[in-house]
Amino acid sequence: FKSGTTTYNVTVDDATTIISATANDSKSTIKGTGTKNLNYGVNKFEIVVTAENESTKTYILNICLKFILRQNL
């Protein structure tokens, strides 16, 4: 994540995704990462970074799972 950008939009094909993040400061903590199962359409996830002084910054991930029509050939 970029510290000045707090909302991200992405489209994916797979129903499972892994959200990972690394803090710039080793004393900060991050919540909301890990393996996520997606539903078709937009899935909203919040990643919260807490600084040593307990201030927080929330990043929003809007992950859209595309519906793919698979045909039997």
Side-chain angles (χ1 to χ4, degrees), residues 50-66:
T50 304
E52 181 180 17
N53 67 2
E54 300 204 20
S55 65
T56 61
K57 188 164 197 174
T58 301
Y59 295 88
I60 305 297
L61 298 178
N62 294 307
I63 303 176
C64 181
L65 175 59
K66 290 193 303 186

Side-chain angles (χ1 to χ4, degrees), residues 2-66:
K2 293 180 182 180
S3 62
T5 304
T6 56
T7 301
Y8 293 86
N9 300 300
V10 64
T11 300
V12 298
D13 296 329
D14 295 321
T16 302
T17 193
I18 298 172
I19 299 172
S20 62
T22 303
N24 288 336
D25 183 342
S26 63
K27 295 178 182 177
S28 297
T29 60
I30 300 173
K31 292 184 180 177
T33 59
T35 301
K36 308 294 183 182
N37 294 316
L38 305 176
N39 296 313
Y40 287 110
V42 177
N43 298 261
K44 180 179 176 180
F45 298 99
E46 294 186 358
I47 311 304
V48 180
V49 179
T50 304
E52 181 180 17
N53 67 2
E54 300 204 20
S55 65
T56 61
K57 188 164 197 174
T58 301
Y59 295 88
I60 305 297
L61 298 178
N62 294 307
I63 303 176
C64 181
L65 175 59
K66 290 193 303 186

